[in-house]
Short mmCIF file of all heavy atoms in Angstrom, two decimals:
data_model
loop_
_atom_site.label_atom_id
_atom_site.label_comp_id
_atom_site.label_asym_id
_atom_site.label_seq_id
_atom_site.Cartn_x
_atom_site.Cartn_y
_atom_site.Cartn_z
N ILE A 772 -115.25 129.23 -134.95
CA ILE A 772 -114.59 130.54 -135.00
C ILE A 772 -115.10 131.23 -136.26
O ILE A 772 -114.85 130.76 -137.38
CB ILE A 772 -113.06 130.41 -135.06
CG1 ILE A 772 -112.53 129.56 -133.90
CG2 ILE A 772 -112.41 131.78 -135.07
CD1 ILE A 772 -111.04 129.30 -133.96
N ALA A 773 -115.85 132.29 -136.10
CA ALA A 773 -116.37 133.03 -137.25
C ALA A 773 -115.28 133.89 -137.86
O ALA A 773 -114.21 134.09 -137.27
CB ALA A 773 -117.57 133.88 -136.83
N ALA A 774 -115.56 134.43 -139.06
CA ALA A 774 -114.56 135.24 -139.76
C ALA A 774 -114.11 136.44 -138.94
O ALA A 774 -112.96 136.88 -139.03
CB ALA A 774 -115.12 135.69 -141.11
N ASP A 775 -115.03 136.99 -138.11
CA ASP A 775 -114.67 138.15 -137.29
C ASP A 775 -114.05 137.76 -135.95
O ASP A 775 -113.79 138.62 -135.10
CB ASP A 775 -115.91 139.03 -137.07
CG ASP A 775 -117.01 138.30 -136.31
OD1 ASP A 775 -116.83 137.10 -135.98
OD2 ASP A 775 -118.07 138.93 -136.06
N GLY A 776 -113.84 136.47 -135.74
CA GLY A 776 -113.22 136.02 -134.50
C GLY A 776 -114.20 135.70 -133.39
O GLY A 776 -113.80 135.22 -132.33
N SER A 777 -115.49 135.94 -133.61
CA SER A 777 -116.50 135.59 -132.59
C SER A 777 -116.68 134.07 -132.56
O SER A 777 -116.32 133.37 -133.51
CB SER A 777 -117.82 136.27 -132.90
OG SER A 777 -118.33 135.86 -134.15
N LEU A 778 -117.23 133.58 -131.45
CA LEU A 778 -117.33 132.13 -131.23
C LEU A 778 -118.78 131.72 -131.03
O LEU A 778 -119.56 132.42 -130.38
CB LEU A 778 -116.51 131.72 -130.00
CG LEU A 778 -115.03 132.11 -129.99
CD1 LEU A 778 -114.39 131.70 -128.67
CD2 LEU A 778 -114.29 131.46 -131.15
N ARG A 779 -119.13 130.57 -131.60
CA ARG A 779 -120.45 129.99 -131.39
C ARG A 779 -120.29 128.49 -131.11
O ARG A 779 -119.56 127.80 -131.82
CB ARG A 779 -121.34 130.20 -132.61
CG ARG A 779 -121.77 131.64 -132.80
CD ARG A 779 -122.99 131.74 -133.72
NE ARG A 779 -122.69 131.27 -135.08
CZ ARG A 779 -123.63 131.04 -135.99
NH1 ARG A 779 -124.91 131.18 -135.69
NH2 ARG A 779 -123.29 130.67 -137.21
N GLU A 780 -120.99 128.02 -130.10
CA GLU A 780 -120.90 126.61 -129.71
C GLU A 780 -122.07 125.83 -130.28
O GLU A 780 -123.21 126.28 -130.28
CB GLU A 780 -120.90 126.47 -128.18
CG GLU A 780 -120.79 125.02 -127.73
CD GLU A 780 -120.97 124.86 -126.23
OE1 GLU A 780 -121.43 125.82 -125.58
OE2 GLU A 780 -120.68 123.76 -125.72
N ARG A 781 -121.78 124.61 -130.75
CA ARG A 781 -122.84 123.73 -131.23
C ARG A 781 -123.37 122.92 -130.05
O ARG A 781 -122.66 122.16 -129.43
CB ARG A 781 -122.30 122.76 -132.30
CG ARG A 781 -123.41 121.96 -132.98
CD ARG A 781 -122.81 120.92 -133.92
NE ARG A 781 -123.82 120.33 -134.78
CZ ARG A 781 -124.61 119.30 -134.44
NH1 ARG A 781 -124.52 118.78 -133.23
NH2 ARG A 781 -125.50 118.83 -135.30
N ARG A 782 -124.66 123.09 -129.79
CA ARG A 782 -125.30 122.33 -128.73
C ARG A 782 -125.74 120.97 -129.28
O ARG A 782 -125.87 120.78 -130.49
CB ARG A 782 -126.49 123.11 -128.17
CG ARG A 782 -126.10 124.41 -127.50
CD ARG A 782 -125.32 124.15 -126.20
NE ARG A 782 -124.65 125.35 -125.71
CZ ARG A 782 -125.24 126.32 -125.03
NH1 ARG A 782 -126.55 126.29 -124.79
NH2 ARG A 782 -124.54 127.34 -124.59
N SER A 783 -126.01 120.05 -128.39
CA SER A 783 -126.29 118.68 -128.81
C SER A 783 -127.51 118.57 -129.71
O SER A 783 -127.61 117.67 -130.53
CB SER A 783 -126.48 117.78 -127.57
OG SER A 783 -127.48 118.32 -126.73
N GLU A 784 -128.44 119.51 -129.57
CA GLU A 784 -129.62 119.46 -130.42
C GLU A 784 -129.41 120.13 -131.78
O GLU A 784 -130.35 120.25 -132.57
CB GLU A 784 -130.82 120.10 -129.71
CG GLU A 784 -130.62 121.55 -129.33
CD GLU A 784 -129.99 121.75 -127.96
OE1 GLU A 784 -129.34 120.79 -127.47
OE2 GLU A 784 -130.17 122.83 -127.36
N GLY A 785 -128.20 120.56 -132.08
CA GLY A 785 -127.88 121.10 -133.38
C GLY A 785 -127.97 122.61 -133.47
O GLY A 785 -127.78 123.17 -134.55
N ARG A 786 -128.25 123.30 -132.37
CA ARG A 786 -128.30 124.77 -132.38
C ARG A 786 -126.89 125.31 -132.16
O ARG A 786 -126.09 124.73 -131.44
CB ARG A 786 -129.22 125.30 -131.28
CG ARG A 786 -130.68 124.96 -131.48
CD ARG A 786 -131.55 125.63 -130.41
NE ARG A 786 -131.19 125.19 -129.06
CZ ARG A 786 -130.60 125.97 -128.14
NH1 ARG A 786 -130.29 127.23 -128.44
NH2 ARG A 786 -130.32 125.51 -126.95
#
Side-chain angles (χ1 to χ4, degrees):
I772 305 175
D775 62 358
S777 61
L778 305 177
R779 289 199 296 168
E780 181 188 13
R781 188 186 192 275
R782 296 292 166 80
S783 55
E784 59 271 21
R786 294 185 299 111

